[in-house]
Amino acid sequence: MTVTALLDGPGAEVLAAACTDFQPGRELQLVEKLRRRYDATLVTIAVTQASLRHRAVAKFGVDAERMYFTPDGLEQATRTRVGSHRAARIASTLPGASVVDLGCGIGGDLISAARAGLRVTGVERDPETAATARANLAALGLPGEVVVGDAEATDLTPYDVVFADPARRADGRRVFDHNAYSPPWSFVTGLLQRTACVKVAPGIPHDAVPDEVEAEWVSDAGEVKEAALWSGALYAGVARRATLLPGGASVTEAPEVESGPVGQYIYEPDGAVVRAGLVTAVAVAVDGWLLDPRIAYVTAAELVPTALASAYEVVEELPYKEKALRSWVRSQGIGTLEIKKRGVDVDPAQLRKKLAPKGSATATLIITRIGRDAVAFSCHRVAS
């Protein structure tokens, strides 16, 4: 018995009851209550689904209340804001295009694409997951088709755009090497010879991206979520791009800038900007320079608001020695200590424990490397 058992009849009734009464941490009590009225197996599936819907709100917002999930499908699904950004880009270039999603999972990307006015077909190897994707389109009143099939065996000729999200897990563990993706990387590079968009892990090496393909790193609320590879008619003529959601700020060029001593402010570029290798764009945006040509920190004399980076006002430079830092924490009465680091082999959590902050003051400690020397700066985070 699978998700399809919850679509109508007694299954839909018990699911509605489970969602109404669901409280995190009280699943066993809910199961016991519902089993007095409904089939035990159906109750287990419904309570599991209610739990998944509760977790899915972070990715899918209010849509989660009507959607269906599998545990793996929810974990691997793209959050709506990121999927909508990607779908909007396709729709702006190819309005009304037909899109095939190879390995569509529970249908998160199909939903975003259908809402953008694209004609969608999902291909999914696992029948239960395919049924879940089909149910999600229906639950949200969206057009589209989902078929059970193998990505590598799918005839792509009827479609204007191919979208793929290769599996990045093996034996339940996350895979970081693009050569271990499934379908394999050779299949991915074959797709990129046509009009396609392929979602890959943010750690994709720059030199793995084929020529005439754009790599776009996307962050959402400051957290890097993915890289997307764009080819064919979707290739915008740039090699790398960083896009920051929800605002949509985007950069594509990395001008040459100088490096020099710390100014009044230190800027920490968004992770997507760093991954894309576009840190110097931040320096240009704030009329600043790099602290070190190999480290992703920018500094400047003035505070210039930018969506591309977080800003910290420098209070003083400190010796990078545990005893001196502990004395600083104690003398300033620091109880809340944020530690940022780049280019230095230090565990912020372990260092914070050793510095033992106790007090009412708040501070940020930025530790980095300039040339061969590790340095520390006492800072205050500037509200964005």
Side-chain angles (χ1 to χ4, degrees), residues 138-149:
L140 298 175
L142 296 170
E145 179 185 19
V146 180
V147 298
V148 177

Side-chain angles (χ1 to χ4, degrees), residues 191 345 361:
L191 293 180
D345 185 15

Side-chain angles (χ1 to χ4, degrees), residues 187-277:
F187 178 74
V188 170
T189 55
L191 293 180
L192 293 171
Q193 294 177 16
R194 54 185 300 140
T195 296
C197 175
V198 180
K199 174 182 171 181
V200 295
I204 185 76
H206 289 191
D207 60 7
V209 179
D211 294 337
E212 301 298 308
V213 171
E214 175 192 319
E216 178 189 27
W217 281 263
V218 179
S219 68
D220 186 24
E223 184 179 354
V224 183
K225 289 300 177 183
E226 67 174 53
L229 307 182
W230 302 90
S231 64
L234 299 173
Y235 173 60
V238 299
R240 291 170 285 155
R241 182 189 305 269
T243 300
L244 285 56
L245 303 177
S250 182
V251 290
T252 59
E253 297 182 359
E256 291 189 10
V257 299
E258 299 294 325
S259 58
V262 68
Q264 187 62 52
Y265 295 90
I266 292 176
Y267 294 83
E268 180 184 37
D270 181 273
V273 176
V274 176
R275 293 277 193 174

Side-chain angles (χ1 to χ4, degrees), residues 316 318 324-334 358 361:
E316 62 178 318
L318 300 167
L325 294 177
R326 192 183 302 113
S327 176
W328 165 72
V329 167
R330 186 169 55 251
S331 67
Q332 299 298 313
I334 296 170
K358 296 177 183 177

Side-chain angles (χ1 to χ4, degrees), residues 278-344:
L278 300 172
V279 170
T280 57
V282 176
V284 172
V286 301
D287 193 22
W289 56 93
L290 298 174
L291 273 175
D292 182 282
R294 300 162 297 176
I295 303 294
Y297 278 131
V298 169
T299 188
E302 303 289 340
L303 176 62
V304 180
T306 175
L308 303 177
S310 300
Y312 300 84
E313 185 174 12
V314 178
V315 177
E316 62 178 318
E317 183 173 343
L318 300 167
Y320 181 51
K321 296 180 180 179
E322 186 180 317
K323 183 178 179 180
L325 294 177
R326 192 183 302 113
S327 176
W328 165 72
V329 167
R330 186 169 55 251
S331 67
Q332 299 298 313
I334 296 170
T336 302
L337 179 61
E338 177 185 37
I339 299 178
K340 315 288 291 187
K341 65 102 174 183
R342 291 193 188 282
V344 179

Side-chain angles (χ1 to χ4, degrees), residues 59-110:
K59 283 189 173 183
F60 292 96
V62 295
D63 283 344
E65 299 174 3
R66 292 183 288 163
M67 291 175 64
Y68 300 87
F69 302 96
T70 65
D72 287 345
L74 175 57
E75 183 176 349
Q76 296 166 20
T78 303
R79 66 173 60 190
T80 295
R81 199 148 55 195
V82 178
S84 297
H85 161 73
R86 196 190 306 114
R89 175 166 173 173
I90 296 173
S92 66
T93 304
L94 300 169
S98 58
V99 179
V100 61
D101 182 344
L102 302 179
C104 68
I106 61 169
D109 286 295
L110 292 177

